[in-house]
Amino acid sequence: MTIRTRWAYAVIAVALGSAEVSAQATDSTLAQDGIYARPFIGAVSMASIGGYVEGNTNYFVEDGVGEGFSMELRRFNIFLFSQISQRVRFLSELEFEHGTEEIALETALVDLQVRPELAIRAGIILPPLGYFNQNHDSPRWDFVERPLVSTDIIPSTLSEVGGGVYGRVGLGGLILSYDAYLTNGLTDAVVGNELGRTDIASGKSEEILAEDNNGSPAVSGRVALRGSSLGELGLSYYGGYYNAFRVEGTDVDERRWLGIAALDFGGSMGPADVRGEFAYASVDVPPGMAELFGDAQWGGHVDVTLPVWRPRLPGYQDAVIAASLRLEKVDYNVGTFTSTGDAIGDEVTAVVAGISFRPSAGTVFRANYRYHWIRDFVGNPTNRMAGFQLGFATYF
């Protein structure tokens, strides 16, 4: 058994073990409810507006070379919500990144609630791949950066046009939730990009919000179990043909499939909140290019957040200071060189330590220290990068 295999088995054991701890989960919200678990949405209002803002500083050095200190207002997001009727509701999210450098309509969907066991959703949706993609709002997290696996293997934030169904069923003391959707899918840029490697996030395109590039929709789905003493454990999958194999009704190329499977978990271990996500991607790449671009990728992260002090401050009855630790790893090219049998590199291992202050649940001030070990494609000596980040995020 290889070291990589042993590491993967250990990760899965930690994930399954955390789902069995007998403690109350700190967040009782189902993952599929993440887009509605926002403070601006009231129970009686017909229409609401809200959002969040996120800013941070950066100071990083890689192998002794740095670019100095910088500050950024990373995101400014606006939410619009309307309870159109008793069973019909609308939600949208407009994101501004780095000022107006990038403007994106992340969500614009309509939900028709038939009953708790069944709801129909259509529009620009967030495919239910893992936990993070539907729960990516910055004020919810005690880390400045998003998990590498959740942005590079799972290309969060992933927004696609489509529709499907979701719901939940009570099973004694457990809740079983499910999501299933058809969407336009990703594009040829998964392989044909400027990075010169398989990069799933590059397959996102604004054009895909208007039409499918090959006329064959992607499928996605997630099932999860949540219990008061178990937290939540979810399994999900996303798959579809990503290349433009068809032009004007005629097949002009072989069909190339992209599939991503994910395991996510979250719950409490004593006073600590534990959350993680692991994903494996399989990509059909053009013949003869698998070794260079990578036809398999995987990654994962585990976050542990521990409240260490609840100061008594006037006007801040729920203030809390917490310490956090994240362990994460991504491998962008799983496999070995056919000529030498050596393992292909192109992977990142990171550890992040942080301290955060929440004057209220929807606002966080955070300080992080990140350390990366970076291996290039051919396996040269490992590069090391480290740096500090200070940041804030708040709903409004």
Side-chain angles (χ1 to χ4, degrees):
M1 183 182 296
T2 65
I3 294 177
R4 181 181 284 108
T5 302
R6 289 197 298 268
W7 199 92
Y9 283 159
V11 161
I12 293 172
V14 170
L16 295 177
S18 69
E20 297 176 355
V21 294
S22 55
Q24 175 67 41
T26 59
D27 181 3
S28 60
T29 304
L30 287 165
Q32 69 177 198
D33 291 332
I35 61 172
Y36 287 113
R38 290 160 167 166
F40 80 98
I41 296 178
V44 296
S45 62
M46 285 292 294
S48 303
I49 184 170
Y52 72 85
V53 62
E54 173 191 6
N56 60 277
T57 68
N58 299 288
Y59 181 81
F60 285 96
V61 175
E62 184 172 351
D63 286 345
V65 179
E67 297 183 357
F69 179 84
S70 64
M71 295 177 282
E72 63 174 326
L73 189 68
R74 182 170 289 181
R75 294 180 181 90
F76 178 77
N77 289 31
I78 298 175
F79 308 140
L80 293 172
F81 169 79
S82 178
Q83 188 72 46
I84 298 172
S85 65
Q86 182 177 1
R87 294 182 179 272
V88 179
R89 56 185 179 177
F90 167 82
L91 179 69
S92 68
E93 179 178 354
L94 182 63
E95 179 177 72
F96 299 82
E97 286 196 4
H98 304 106
T100 57
E101 180 178 325
E102 181 180 339
I103 303 174
L105 185 59
E106 284 197 352
T107 311
L109 59 85
V110 175
D111 280 353
L112 171 62
Q113 297 173 301
V114 180
R115 53 187 302 153
E117 295 83 5
L118 176 64
I120 301 170
R121 172 173 293 171
I124 300 176
I125 67 175
L126 300 170
L129 182 55
Y131 176 86
F132 184 87
N133 195 53
Q134 297 182 98
N135 295 270
H136 60 270
D137 291 359
S138 298
R140 298 180 180 178
W141 298 83
D142 290 84
F143 298 92
V144 173
E145 298 293 343
R146 295 173 170 180
L148 291 173
V149 62
S150 304
T151 57
D152 295 357
I153 310 301
I154 299 172
S156 302
T157 302
L158 179 60
S159 302
E160 296 184 340
V161 173
V165 297
Y166 70 92
R168 78 282 306 276
V169 179
L171 300 174
L174 300 175
I175 298 176
L176 173 67
S177 62
Y178 72 91
D179 300 77
Y181 300 99
L182 293 177
T183 56
N184 277 347
L186 299 170
T187 70
D188 298 80
V190 168
V191 173
N193 56 67
E194 298 178 353
L195 299 179
R197 72 179 183 197
T198 298
D199 182 59
I200 298 173
S202 294
K204 298 186 294 183
S205 171
E206 293 183 0
E207 296 179 359
I208 216 68
L209 298 181
E211 62 178 347
D212 198 323
N213 69 326
N214 54 31
S216 179
V219 297
S220 59
R222 180 178 182 270
V223 292
L225 276 175
R226 171 175 281 279
S228 60
S229 62
L230 297 177
E232 182 171 346
L233 178 66
L235 295 172
S236 53
Y237 180 80
Y238 175 98
Y241 297 110
Y242 68 92
N243 64 315
F245 61 83
R246 180 180 296 154
V247 177
E248 296 182 353
T250 302
D251 286 0
V252 296
D253 194 4
E254 294 182 5
R255 304 185 183 203
R256 300 193 184 97
W257 184 267
L258 180 151
I260 307 172
L263 164 72
D264 64 86
F265 59 92
S268 296
M269 298 183 68
D273 178 73
V274 180
R275 181 162 297 283
E277 189 164 82
F278 298 86
Y280 182 90
S282 177
V283 183
D284 290 339
V285 301
M289 299 176 63
E291 186 172 290
L292 177 62
F293 279 81
D295 58 5
Q297 300 180 331
W298 77 275
H301 82 95
V302 176
D303 292 356
V304 179
T305 301
L306 177 67
V308 295
W309 186 32
R310 299 185 183 274
R312 296 183 177 180
L313 300 174
Y316 298 102
Q317 293 83 0
D318 299 323
V320 60
I321 295 175
S324 301
L325 180 68
R326 170 179 290 168
L327 304 176
E328 58 182 335
K329 182 181 178 68
V330 287
D331 188 340
Y332 300 106
N333 196 331
V334 177
T336 59
F337 291 105
T338 56
S339 59
T340 64
D342 294 333
I344 299 173
D346 205 7
E347 59 187 43
V348 178
T349 303
V351 58
V352 188
I355 189 79
S356 63
F357 169 60
R358 289 186 178 273
S360 61
T363 301
V364 60
F365 297 87
R366 49 205 180 191
N368 290 173
Y369 174 75
R370 299 184 61 88
Y371 197 100
H372 289 204
W373 292 265
I374 305 170
R375 290 191 62 203
D376 65 12
F377 175 75
V378 296
N380 287 318
T382 302
N383 293 337
R384 302 190 180 194
M385 182 182 74
F388 294 92
Q389 293 176 296
L390 301 175
F392 70 90
T394 184
Y395 283 113
F396 59 82

